[in-house]
């Protein structure tokens, strides 16, 4: 498979700074936010979205943990 599936762009956990950079100047309160990831990352993203005024019913999340 080699370089065919090489990841380009941002990698790693999404934190408040990364999320703010992605959402800057956008009306995130008008969107449905669908999240999936490890517990700490999803908890952080939800906190940022709620802090930006996104209603909780516009956030759907699925959390998982690594064994």
């Amino acid at each position: 498979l080699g370089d065919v599936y090489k990841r380009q762009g941002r990698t790693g956990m999404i934190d408040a700074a990364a999320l703010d950079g992605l959402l800057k100047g956008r009306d995130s309160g008008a969107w449905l936010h669908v999240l999936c990831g490890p517990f700490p990352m999803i908890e952080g993203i939800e906190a940022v979205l709620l802090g930006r005024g996104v209603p909780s019913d516009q956030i759907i999340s699925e959390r998982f943990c690594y064994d």
Side-chain angles (χ1 to χ4, degrees), residues 35-64:
L35 316 171
C36 181
F39 279 90
M41 185 175 76
I42 299 303
E43 295 293 317
I45 293 171
E46 286 178 338
V48 171
L49 292 173
L50 293 169
R52 290 176 63 101
V54 174
S56 62
D57 63 348
Q58 288 177 229
I59 303 171
I60 299 172
S61 57
E62 179 179 340
R63 296 162 176 81
F64 61 81

